[in-house]
Amino acid sequence: MKILVVDDDRINNKMISKKLEKRGFEVVEAFNGKQCLDIVDQQQVDLVLLDIMMPDLFGSEVLVRLRKRFTAFELPIIMVTGKSETEDIVECLKAGANDYIVKPINIEVALARISTQLSLKQMHQENLSNAELETAQAMIVTYNHEINNPLTIALGLLGRVKTEENTATVEKINDALFRVVDIVKKIQQISNDTKIKHTEYTSEDKMIKLK
Amino acid sequence: MEFDSKELMMMFGDDQEIYFEIFGDFEQSLDEMLGEIDNAIESKNAEALQISAHTFKGVLSTFCAVESKNLAFELEKMGRDGQFDGAREIFNNLKTSSLSLISALKGFQFSSAA
């Protein structure tokens, strides 16, 4: 997991970065708001620890800019603040900060809050992924159903139009239609084998109603 | 007392190598950080005073230096309010207490604090 530590105070920045690295996190450091925004543009970051008071761009302004692009689940942001900055904390929480920690940073408290936010982010991503799988599966079931119906009709009618003159042609059409039947079965099999089918949606398949 | 040794032990007891590294950084950058506050007072730049004192307060807080931190906080508030009366005196006290802090931290031993 990659954490971006943003603080103009290089000593605090180094302290928290080193402590996090020691505990297994990958850490990127930024020393002002602009650097923070640049890094988020260029790299995949899992969470931001953002100091509120910085000279070029206040942490609260950086927060607002980041929240225009990322939800609280996509990019958790934990504000870092002095004990006396209660008003700033409230403003930041209203503006979309996930949480805050107070300086001097107690690493155990910081780790607990970081872990909570990363877990929530992971759960959100899994939910999104499950929803996508569920949609894909419902589409497969729907398409199979919609294809099977006309296919059955076509195969049934094919026998009726068969004459001595068109036997070869009708058999070719028949073979082609059975190849479609085979493909539909294989797609259905893939749908049955999806993880989501076996873990969470074991009851009935869902379908999307086609207009 | 320049700093709270129990608090410092709690902060760095498991990370002593990090403590020694950042203490070296603190010692090296002390003049620069004090210089920024000094310049802000000299030029009566309220915003610069607020930011520089705030940053220094953060560092002092990392080393659990309560008294020095309070002085830095006084300066930060003066910067926020655009008030410079008495700032020079507080700065001088901050400078003295910061130098004492450096000496005290140099002599700090985790084994005796434990």
Side-chain angles (χ1 to χ4, degrees):
Chain A
M1 286 289 176
K2 191 190 279 186
I3 297 182
L4 172 58
V5 178
V6 191
D7 194 335
D8 64 303
D9 168 3
R10 288 176 181 264
I11 291 173
N12 266 323
N13 198 325
K14 189 175 190 176
M15 180 197 69
I16 189 69
S17 299
K18 292 266 176 189
K19 286 188 175 190
L20 289 172
E21 276 171 356
K22 191 176 165 183
R23 286 154 180 86
F25 290 97
E26 187 181 346
V27 178
V28 195
E29 295 173 57
F31 302 101
N32 56 54
K34 189 183 174 303
Q35 260 184 9
C36 166
L37 295 171
D38 288 345
I39 289 171
V40 171
D41 271 343
Q42 293 155 10
Q43 298 182 32
Q44 168 70 40
V45 171
D46 293 299
L47 183 143
V48 181
L49 276 184
L50 180 58
D51 187 37
I52 289 188
M53 189 175 281
M54 293 185 291
D56 69 324
L57 198 59
F58 269 42
S60 45
E61 292 171 53
V62 176
L63 168 71
V64 169
R65 292 196 196 181
L66 288 175
R67 275 292 163 264
K68 284 180 182 166
R69 295 172 48 203
F70 303 97
T71 67
F73 285 118
E74 289 166 343
L75 184 63
I77 300 173
I78 298 178
M79 306 306 292
V80 180
T81 171
K83 278 177 186 163
S84 56
E85 294 155 26
T86 317
E87 281 179 26
D88 293 332
I89 295 164
V90 173
E91 283 306 309
C92 288
L93 290 171
K94 281 182 184 169
N98 295 60
D99 202 349
Y100 71 94
I101 48 179
V102 177
K103 283 182 182 177
I105 295 172
N106 177 311
I107 191 65
E108 298 307 324
V109 172
L111 284 175
R113 296 192 172 189
I114 288 168
S115 298
T116 300
Q117 294 306 325
L118 290 176
S119 300
L120 287 171
K121 177 181 176 168
Q122 195 178 351
M123 277 169 60
H124 176 71
Q125 282 171 343
E126 282 170 7
N127 284 342
L128 277 182
S129 174
N130 284 348
E132 282 169 8
L133 273 173
E134 188 183 351
T135 304
Q137 190 188 25
M139 285 179 74
I140 289 171
V141 173
T142 304
Y143 288 141
N144 280 1
H145 175 80
E146 297 296 333
I147 292 168
N148 263 330
N149 278 349
L151 205 53
T152 307
I153 293 166
L155 282 167
L157 291 175
L158 202 57
R160 294 191 199 172
V161 297
K162 192 175 176 182
T163 60
E164 278 185 18
E165 292 78 29
N166 66 10
T167 300
T169 308
V170 167
E171 280 178 0
K172 279 182 184 172
I173 294 171
N174 193 64
D175 288 348
L177 290 175
F178 270 105
R179 278 169 59 198
V180 176
V181 169
D182 194 39
I183 290 166
V184 166
K185 279 182 184 166
K186 282 177 181 168
I187 292 172
Q188 183 61 50
Q189 188 58 44
I190 291 167
S191 167
N192 290 341
D193 289 345
T194 55
K195 183 180 162 194
I196 194 165
K197 173 81 178 173
H198 293 294
T199 56
E200 293 187 26
Y201 294 95
T202 51
S203 54
E204 288 182 1
D205 289 328
K206 293 180 181 175
M207 286 183 64
I208 295 170
K209 190 172 181 180
L210 294 178
K211 288 183 181 176
Chain B
M1 192 170 65
E2 286 83 3
F3 64 93
D4 183 335
S5 56
K6 280 186 184 169
E7 189 78 19
L8 196 67
M9 181 68 199
M10 213 167 73
M11 286 270 293
F12 292 102
D14 294 333
D15 300 301
Q16 294 179 27
E17 75 289 0
I18 297 173
Y19 166 79
F20 289 116
E21 194 173 340
I22 64 162
F23 173 66
D25 292 348
F26 177 40
E27 199 178 6
Q28 274 188 352
S29 57
L30 180 67
D31 286 345
E32 189 187 335
M33 287 190 287
L34 285 170
E36 282 174 16
I37 300 173
D38 192 5
N39 290 338
I41 294 170
E42 193 62 33
S43 58
K44 293 202 184 312
N45 183 335
E47 192 185 345
L49 177 59
Q50 184 188 5
I51 297 275
S52 56
H54 174 84
T55 302
F56 194 47
K57 182 187 78 178
V59 177
L60 293 167
S61 156
T62 298
F63 291 101
C64 310
V66 183
E67 283 176 32
S68 307
K69 189 187 87 173
N70 289 340
L71 290 171
F73 186 41
E74 283 299 311
L75 289 173
E76 180 188 342
K77 284 191 289 186
M78 293 176 102
R80 190 181 59 209
D81 300 338
Q83 167 64 255
F84 287 88
D85 292 345
R88 174 60 58 191
E89 193 185 341
I90 295 173
F91 172 72
N92 289 336
N93 290 339
L94 176 63
K95 193 173 177 179
T96 307
S97 71
S98 302
L99 292 170
S100 303
L101 173 67
I102 291 282
S103 302
L105 286 173
K106 261 185 190 168
F108 178 67
Q109 292 192 337
F110 282 93
S111 51
S112 358

